[in-house]
Amino acid sequence: MSRIKTFNLPDLGEGLTEGEILAWLVKVGDDIELNQPIVEVETAKAAVEIPAKWAGRVQAIYHPEGATVEVGSPIIAIDTDPNAGPIEQSTTGAPAAELPTPSAASLAAVEVAPEEGMVEPGLIGGVAPGGRTAVLVGYGPRNAPAKRRPRKGGVPAQAATAPAAPVQPAPVQAAPAPAPVVPAPALNGNGRPAGGPVLAKPPVRKLAKDLGVDLATLTGSGPLGSITREDVQQAASAPAAAEPLTVAATPTAAASFGADREQRIPVKGVRKLTAENMSRSAFTAPHVTEFLTVDMTRAMKALDRLRERREWRDVRVSPLLLVAKAVLLAVKRHPMVNSTWAGDEIVVKDYVNLGIAAATERGLIVPNIKDAGRLSLRGLADAMTDLVQTAKAGKTSPADMSGGTLTITNVGVFGVDTGTPILPPGESAILAFGAVRELPWVHKGKVKPRLVTTLGLSFDHRIIDGELGSKFLRDIGDFLADPEAALLAWT
């Protein structure tokens, strides 16, 4: 049984097909434990730390930070018995465990020696600084041309052509280190192997041709040093006598505009998923939005009294907590609101997974509190606090964002009065909670300053008609106008 175990990128939830490697938490040569986090990956839903499936020593890392990897692709190799001595080889000369073939992009960055038998210093198979041999990640040094061995007993072609040398991966830096994943070959003045191929997508090549830019003179700022549209546009706008353009290959570099004064931002991750979901929802579910303005003065005074209680002094108490409680109580009075359109049937749910929309650095996410209707007010407050802290830390898991049944979006934190929110797919209602402002209000026959907010309820008109939507919104407003009286009347 092979000591070298190859770890593939797992499906992190609900059929996701790819993920972007944000940071490696280990490097080649590190000893790791079972379930130790080894890599942070961003999917279309969240950033997730993936734990190791085995204990052992990191043997190879196959993708650099910033690379997008398909689910099921190898990302790391682990020697599960590092104290057993050198890695054994099979009788055919191949290593005991086959490591994945490098990607086309990785091979494109390697220059072939000019003559057979001559290998320039720094190139794959040549002498690198310090006297060691430069190799691709997961491959040993080899100067001679590859030769295909005849198959024996059904040995796969890949195994037959594998290098005979033991696995000898190049060092890979941990997440904080800026060094590249593989040893860099000899570079020209533009940071690319001398005479090596240029990495650029067809649209970028066309743009360069149209603008008269020589791609070979540029240093790419994209993944694996690829040339981007921004690189080409900056080169086109540079003075003719200037030196070749050099762009820092870092994802945190400040965004810049090209000659056309336009900036193109790749749509991926959370933003891509949000765009797909919102487009699908907006054009499949017939939306209706109703508004209600509410005097929340009594509710705000009730929150002040709640904060003064000894058992609530360390609890985060906000108006959003009362809004969430109002929604949960209104759902009990109008269960049809908490349902899903399923084509030939409507699925009404006896549980409420309450979504709270949160704006993060990676985009809008909607984690939900599972079975929120069964929680006490204190339990709901604690769950909302945990949800917000986890979202701010970028640690919300895909499971926390799956299965929502009804959502609240707090647009009031941005100073907005209300909005017409779009339904998350699979849900039939979403409530926008606006800013609480001191406004003139008729109270007991006199105009007085009162704390007022505006609610906006969007709902799926296939399930919720005007009467049901209006009653549901009215009940939420009644609770926020006088929460103590509503609790006495409804519970």
Side-chain angles (χ1 to χ4, degrees):
M1 186 172 168
S2 174
R3 289 165 42 186
I4 306 299
K5 303 291 187 182
T6 300
F7 185 88
N8 298 335
L9 180 65
D11 182 353
L12 300 173
E14 292 202 342
L16 298 175
T17 60
E18 64 183 17
E20 179 182 348
I21 295 177
L22 294 180
W24 282 105
L25 309 180
V26 296
K27 62 181 182 297
V28 170
D30 283 357
D31 291 327
I32 59 176
E33 300 177 355
L34 178 67
N35 292 328
Q36 174 183 334
I38 56 175
V39 63
E40 185 178 13
V41 176
E42 182 185 44
T43 69
K45 292 190 174 184
V48 181
E49 289 185 353
I50 299 178
K53 293 174 61 176
W54 310 281
R57 183 169 296 156
V58 178
Q59 191 70 18
I61 290 176
Y62 303 131
H63 301 279
E65 295 176 1
T68 298
V69 183
E70 293 184 357
V71 169
S73 299
I75 59 174
I76 192 172
I78 299 172
D79 183 353
T80 57
D81 192 6
N83 297 322
I87 298 174
E88 297 179 359
Q89 296 183 356
S90 66
T91 57
T92 61
E98 291 298 327
L99 298 177
T101 303
S103 66
S106 298
L107 292 175
V110 179
E111 182 184 6
V112 181
E115 296 182 16
E116 185 175 353
M118 291 181 57
V119 183
E120 297 180 7
L123 296 185
I124 299 302
V127 179
R132 61 182 178 82
T133 301
V135 295
L136 281 175
V137 173
Y139 285 78
R142 184 185 183 113
N143 295 338
K147 296 180 180 180
R148 181 179 297 275
R149 295 185 179 91
R151 298 188 179 184
K152 295 182 180 180
V155 178
Q158 181 180 357
T161 60
V167 176
Q168 187 179 348
V172 178
Q173 298 297 328
V181 176
V182 297
L187 303 177
N188 61 16
N190 299 307
R192 185 180 299 106
V198 175
L199 297 181
K201 296 180 179 179
V204 177
R205 294 181 182 274
K206 182 179 183 303
L207 176 64
K209 182 179 179 181
D210 294 341
L211 297 179
V213 175
D214 183 2
L215 292 178
T217 65
L218 305 184
T219 298
S221 62
L224 296 173
S226 60
I227 307 296
T228 66
R229 294 182 62 94
E230 288 72 21
D231 299 335
V232 174
Q233 291 165 350
Q234 289 187 31
S237 62
E243 293 296 322
L245 181 67
T246 301
V247 181
T250 168
T252 59
S256 58
F257 293 87
D260 57 0
R261 301 173 66 188
E262 295 179 350
Q263 176 189 353
R264 287 172 169 79
I265 302 173
V267 178
K268 58 183 180 178
V270 174
R271 187 177 298 276
K272 181 177 181 180
L273 181 69
T274 301
E276 292 172 351
N277 286 344
M278 293 300 96
S279 297
R280 184 169 68 252
S281 176
F283 294 105
T284 56
H287 284 57
V288 173
T289 304
E290 294 185 338
F291 305 97
L292 179 65
T293 304
V294 181
D295 177 5
M296 283 191 62
T297 306
R298 288 185 179 179
M300 300 301 286
K301 291 180 179 178
L303 285 178
D304 291 339
R305 292 194 298 270
L306 188 63
R307 295 187 185 100
E308 294 173 356
R309 297 185 65 87
R310 184 175 55 233
E311 61 270 28
W312 281 81
R313 287 175 183 171
D314 297 327
V315 181
R316 179 182 174 87
V317 178
S318 70
L320 183 60
L321 174 62
L322 286 186
V323 174
K325 188 64 177 179
V327 168
L328 294 172
L329 289 175
V331 166
K332 289 183 178 181
R333 292 166 57 82
H334 310 284
M336 183 66 74
V337 171
N338 188 47
S339 60
T340 299
W341 180 268
D344 56 352
E345 61 183 3
I346 296 173
V347 181
V348 182
K349 299 166 184 177
D350 191 35
Y351 58 90
V352 181
N353 293 341
L354 184 63
I356 306 293
T360 70
E361 293 182 356
R362 294 187 177 93
L364 178 69
I365 63 174
V366 188
N368 61 77
I369 301 170
K370 308 299 184 188
D371 213 358
R374 294 182 179 271
L375 297 177
S376 64
L377 186 64
R378 173 61 186 268
L380 185 61
D382 292 339
M384 292 176 65
T385 299
D386 292 342
L387 180 147
V388 171
Q389 291 177 347
T390 302
K392 286 183 177 179
K395 303 299 183 183
T396 305
S397 69
D400 291 336
M401 292 185 287
S402 302
T405 64
L406 199 151
T407 295
I408 300 172
T409 176
N410 184 11
V411 298
V413 296
F414 305 110
V416 174
D417 290 328
T418 191
T420 57
I422 297 177
L423 293 168
E427 299 182 21
S428 62
I430 178 173
L431 180 74
F433 173 41
V436 179
R437 304 181 185 277
E438 189 174 55
L439 297 174
W441 190 265
V442 177
H443 177 66
K444 295 182 179 179
K446 297 181 180 180
V447 177
K448 297 182 178 181
R450 305 287 286 181
L451 296 173
V452 177
T453 189
T454 301
L455 306 173
L457 178 71
S458 293
F459 51 86
D460 186 341
H461 214 5
R462 296 173 299 182
I463 302 173
I464 303 173
D465 58 23
E467 180 184 8
L468 176 58
S470 299
K471 288 182 177 179
F472 179 71
L473 183 59
R474 182 200 62 198
D475 280 357
I476 296 173
D478 287 348
F479 180 91
L480 295 177
D482 194 343
E484 293 153 321
L487 283 173
L488 290 174
W490 299 347
T491 60

